[in-house]
Amino acid sequence: MNQGFVDGIIRRIAIWREWVKKQNPHLLGLVLVLAAFWAAMAFSEPISPRQTAAPSPTVEITPLPAQTPTGEIQAGRPSPTPIPAELLANREQTFGIVFGAVVLVLIVVIGTLSGIAAQRQTSQSK
């Protein structure tokens, strides 16, 4: 391997590490959290139309477990639970729910970091 290439990579890593040490750790943490949320939202894909689940045309009534004369409970045959039509009609709205949750988490994280920063400023001024 070319030694100049390796030395160049090591030099760039050292420059990057010095830059990171000079930055505010809270800001870098916030950037990492934002990057993680962005990556999670970028890689989450909506359900494609080919993967839709069709509700069962008939709903089977599952009988209650019957008790035998000896006291044992005999369970009935399990039946599939149909997916509600409302869920099938609104399945694309999960993006909004995820986005709202991300915004709420960011509000909490930013509020906590600003509270910590304000507390440090007041303790340093005393």
Side-chain angles (χ1 to χ4, degrees), residues 16-93:
W16 181 79
R17 288 186 68 195
E18 289 299 319
W19 179 82
V20 169
K21 286 181 183 179
K22 293 178 185 177
Q23 302 306 312
N24 183 355
H26 299 293
L27 179 64
L28 291 177
L30 180 63
V31 168
L32 287 175
V33 168
L34 287 172
F37 282 128
W38 178 78
M41 291 184 73
F43 288 114
S44 65
E45 297 179 10
I47 299 174
S48 66
R50 292 172 289 176
Q51 296 175 348
T52 59
S56 59
T58 60
V59 177
E60 294 181 24
I61 298 175
T62 306
L64 294 174
Q67 199 167 22
T68 62
T70 59
E72 295 179 22
I73 296 177
Q74 294 177 339
R77 188 173 61 89
S79 62
T81 304
I83 297 174
E86 181 179 352
L87 181 62
L88 291 174
N90 300 324
R91 68 177 180 265
E92 299 297 326
Q93 292 183 359

